[in-house]
Every structure is written in structure tokens, then in C-alpha cells.
Amino acid sequence: MKPSQSGVAGWRGRGAAVSALALALAAAWSPPAIALAQSPASAEAASGPDLTLEGALRRAAAADPARPGLDARLRGVEAGVRQAGLRPNPTLGLMVENLPTLGGGDILGRTETTLTYEQKLERGGDRSARTGLAQSEGLLITAQAQIAQLDRLELVQRAWVDAMAAEANVEIARERLSLAERFQAEVQRRVNAARDPLFAGARAEAELAQAQIDFDQAEIAVRVARIVLAKFWDGAADFRMGSSDFEDTSAARVAAGAVAQADLEAFRARQAIADAQVRLEQARAVPDPTVSVGVRHIWDNEVALVFGGSMPLQRYDRNQGAIDRARADGVAAQADQNALRLEREREIARLQVQLLARANEARRIAEETQPQAERAVVLVREGFARGGFTYNDVMSAHAALLQTKARRVAVLQTFHNDRARLDRLTGAHADLLGLETQP
């Protein structure tokens, strides 16, 4: 009993949507080139210009939703600096003496009234210390905003890498689908000619069905990756991904820079805050006198000018505990900065070596492993045409080739993710932030 031709026609009907994409591969039996080049049909799938990494980062930096919040915080810092520079408010006092009891006589004739104007004098530099503390807090806000933006740009870079890897994987899935279509037709021809058993045709149809599913899932992954990337600037995914950027591993040969300044600036700002807090606590330790001047109305309608003043006694509290705490915070900030620098330097060195290893692995796969896998495919297919190999041999050879290409895509994806992390640690994209180091 021969297999029904309707099953073959059904699979061909379901694969009609991608048959145009597979024509270029079906026309020739030779394996594709080593590079993960994007096919013309795939290039037409997305409109718009090619989206480079720099273009994606610039779009995301320009559309940072946190920027209005930073502007508001900086306005708050400016308001805090203005507030810190103000003098203490004066005090207006009124004192009434010699009030008679009820029924005790003329109130206005015997009452003495004193009106005073009091002002606290800051002797220890309190105002300048408060202003310096407010300015230091502004430095910390700016540094934290820079860190948040660098973290966001790292996420953008990783999303760009995911989109590039999805594009490369869809090309592998397209190649697998094209091969499955051709071999299903070839196996069916051999089954019809009674050269292969019936189960070979059924298995070929199952392979074609799985290849179609994998290709559909790969296309979905591409669309999702583009949408996720475009959401960083709340735009449409109307761009193409250039495969040449994904193939480029030249960044492995570029010497890594130092630790990102934004990470260190945050600790420097904390240390500056601690130093400013020390100065403020020292200023608070200096007693501030209060002077007063006023007029006194005496009961015989006489008026006298009065002066006065007061000075706190430092009998119990000299504010030494607050000073020591602020100094300890400064020492801790310096220690944290040194620890962060050493940790980041170790991570940068590790990533630099890992980038070289990934780049070398991708190059060796392209120059050594993949050509051998392609040669094995050619030999097996020639032997299959002569009847020397089975269908399983052919599919195994093609599976090994596709696994090799998928392995290279995975290596390149890891390479670019490591590069994204290295760029974050070194602040490679700090020029896109548009933030000054001073509030």
C-alpha cells in the first residue's frame, strides 16, 4: 500500500507561506556560506533602516523615562541649597509685668510692658556647612542617576544582542525547513519507487512538521525580541538587524578601560556628604549666642531701651558623638569605594579574557568545525544519491551541521552579552547620558 499523496500535498500547503523563502536554498544542494548572512526575503520582512548598537543606545538614552524624575530631584537639591543658606529667623517677644489682680486698680497705670527683638548668631559656620551638605547630596543624586542610566543601557545592549541572535537562529530554522522540504520530497519519491520503506516517508513528514514548528517559533522569537528592544524608546519595531554587527568580534582585541566613573562617583559623593556632615556637626558644637534688643514701657508712661543676650552652656553635650559618627561614615565610604574598585577590576579582567576566548571559539568554529560539517553533508548526500547511505545518515549529517551553526550563534550571543557587561563596568557609553557631574 502506497502512502497517500494528499499527506504530502497537505504539508506542502502548510509550507506555502515559507516556500518563497526556501527557494534560494532549494535551488542548490551546496551548503550555505559560513557567515550568518541574512537572506533577501528575511531582509524584506522588516522595513526601515538597519539598527546598529549605537543607534539603539542613542534612541533609548533620548527616551529615558526617568529623566524627568532626575530633573525634579535636581530642582529639589537647588531648593535645598537655597534653604540651607538662610539665616535663622528672628524672634519677636512681648512681656507684660505687674499685672494687678482683679479689682486691684488701674491696669494701664501700673503695668510694665517690654517688646523685644531677638536674633540667634551662628558663630561656627553653620550656614556654609549646611550649604556644603546640601550640595554634596546633589552630587550623590547625579551619580545615582548615572548608574541607573548605565544599567539601563546595559539592558538595551542585551536586548539588542537577543534580537541579533534571534535573527541568526531564524536563518538556521529556515535552512532546516528548506532541507526538510527537499528531503521529504526526495524520500517520498524513493518510497513511491519502492526503494525505501513506508516508515521512511512518515518519518520525513514528521521531520518536516517539526522543522515548520521550529521555524514558526523562531520567527515569533524574532518579533518578540524586536518589540522588547523597541519598547526601550516606546517605538515601533520598524528596523532591520544587520548580521555584520553580530559577526563582529573585534571588541575582544580592544583593551578594556578603567572602572566606570559613575560607580566611583557615588562613593565619592557619600564621602563628601560625610565630610560635610562632619563640618556641620563641628559647627553645631560651637554654642550660638542669642542677642535681643527692645523697649520697655513703664507705668509712669516712661520708655526705656533694653538689651539682653543668652549663651548655651556646654556642660553635658558637646556634640562629639555626632562628629565621630560622621567621620566613621566617611571612612566607611572610602573603604567601600576601594572594595568596589578592586572587585570591578577583577571582573573587567575576567571579562576581557573571556571575550578573547569566545571570539577565538567562534572563529575556530567558522574556520575548522563548520567547513568539515559542510563537507560531511556533501559526501553523505552524494552517497545517498548513489544508494550508499540511508536517510538517517543524511539527516544526521545535516543535524550535525545545523548544531554547529547553532553553537556558533550561542557563542556569539555569549560574546556580545559579556561585551555588554564589560561596557557597563567601564562606562563605555557614558557619553550618551547627557548628565553633568555637578548638579
Side-chain angles (χ1 to χ4, degrees), residues 273-355:
I273 289 175
D275 294 341
Q277 190 68 44
V278 169
R279 290 191 294 270
L280 178 60
E281 299 299 343
Q282 289 174 339
R284 289 173 176 173
V286 178
D288 298 329
T290 300
V291 297
S292 64
V293 60
V295 292
R296 173 174 292 182
H297 177 266
I298 306 176
W299 51 275
D300 283 336
N301 289 328
E302 295 181 1
V303 177
L305 185 65
V306 295
F307 292 93
S310 63
M311 174 72 75
L313 298 178
Q314 294 181 307
R315 182 176 181 182
Y316 303 111
D317 183 10
R318 297 178 180 273
N319 207 34
Q320 190 60 44
I323 296 174
D324 293 341
R325 178 179 179 178
R327 285 174 176 168
D329 291 341
V331 174
Q334 180 63 49
D336 292 342
Q337 177 182 343
N338 295 335
L340 176 71
R341 181 187 293 108
L342 292 176
E343 178 185 350
R344 292 295 173 87
E345 287 176 354
R346 288 196 302 269
E347 182 70 6
I348 288 172
R350 184 189 69 81
L351 288 172
Q352 186 74 66
V353 174
Q354 195 159 307
L355 282 178

Side-chain angles (χ1 to χ4, degrees), residues 75-364:
R75 290 195 300 270
V77 169
E78 294 176 356
V81 171
R82 292 197 310 270
Q83 182 65 33
L86 298 178
R87 296 179 180 179
N89 286 325
T91 302
L92 188 64
L94 177 64
M95 179 178 294
V96 180
E97 302 179 58
N98 296 330
L99 283 174
T101 60
L102 294 177
D106 184 9
I107 295 178
L108 298 178
R110 299 183 59 84
T111 301
E112 297 182 3
T113 305
T114 305
L115 181 65
T116 59
Y117 179 90
E118 298 181 353
Q119 178 65 57
K120 183 179 181 179
L121 302 180
E122 296 179 317
R123 298 191 308 125
D126 297 72
R127 268 196 300 165
S128 61
R130 289 195 304 268
T131 302
L133 179 60
Q135 291 173 340
S136 299
E137 291 173 348
L139 293 177
L140 179 59
I141 289 176
T142 303
Q144 289 175 337
Q146 288 178 329
I147 292 174
Q149 287 185 325
L150 287 177
D151 291 340
R152 184 171 182 269
L153 290 182
E154 181 186 1
L155 295 178
V156 174
Q157 193 168 350
R158 289 180 179 273
W160 179 84
V161 172
D162 291 341
M164 295 291 294
E167 290 278 357
N169 284 324
V170 83
E171 294 303 319
I172 296 176
R174 179 179 289 111
E175 180 182 351
R176 180 186 177 188
L177 177 61
S178 176
L179 292 172
E181 287 179 337
R182 292 184 310 192
F183 275 101
Q184 190 277 336
E186 175 65 20
V187 170
Q188 189 61 51
R189 182 183 62 82
R190 293 170 64 89
V191 169
N192 293 339
R195 298 177 60 185
D196 282 336
L198 293 178
F199 76 85
R203 181 172 181 180
E205 289 190 7
E207 290 285 347
L208 176 58
Q210 188 60 51
Q212 181 67 60
I213 293 173
D214 291 343
F215 177 72
D216 293 341
Q217 293 299 316
E219 283 198 323
I220 292 173
V222 169
R223 291 195 294 270
V224 171
R226 286 177 176 172
I227 291 173
V228 170
L229 179 58
K231 280 301 179 180
F232 278 101
W233 53 86
D234 199 20
D238 55 349
F239 49 81
R240 296 190 301 265
M241 308 297 296
S243 60
S244 59
D245 293 331
F246 192 60
E247 295 282 338
D248 185 13
T249 58
S250 59
R253 297 188 295 272
V254 179
V259 179
Q261 288 300 311
D263 296 323
L264 301 179
E265 285 296 333
F267 289 98
R268 295 188 185 117
R270 290 188 177 94
Q271 188 173 4
I273 289 175
D275 294 341
Q277 190 68 44
V278 169
R279 290 191 294 270
L280 178 60
E281 299 299 343
Q282 289 174 339
R284 289 173 176 173
V286 178
D288 298 329
T290 300
V291 297
S292 64
V293 60
V295 292
R296 173 174 292 182
H297 177 266
I298 306 176
W299 51 275
D300 283 336
N301 289 328
E302 295 181 1
V303 177
L305 185 65
V306 295
F307 292 93
S310 63
M311 174 72 75
L313 298 178
Q314 294 181 307
R315 182 176 181 182
Y316 303 111
D317 183 10
R318 297 178 180 273
N319 207 34
Q320 190 60 44
I323 296 174
D324 293 341
R325 178 179 179 178
R327 285 174 176 168
D329 291 341
V331 174
Q334 180 63 49
D336 292 342
Q337 177 182 343
N338 295 335
L340 176 71
R341 181 187 293 108
L342 292 176
E343 178 185 350
R344 292 295 173 87
E345 287 176 354
R346 288 196 302 269
E347 182 70 6
I348 288 172
R350 184 189 69 81
L351 288 172
Q352 186 74 66
V353 174
Q354 195 159 307
L355 282 178
L356 290 172
R358 299 296 184 188
N360 184 59
E361 183 179 0
R363 177 188 59 80
R364 295 191 64 180

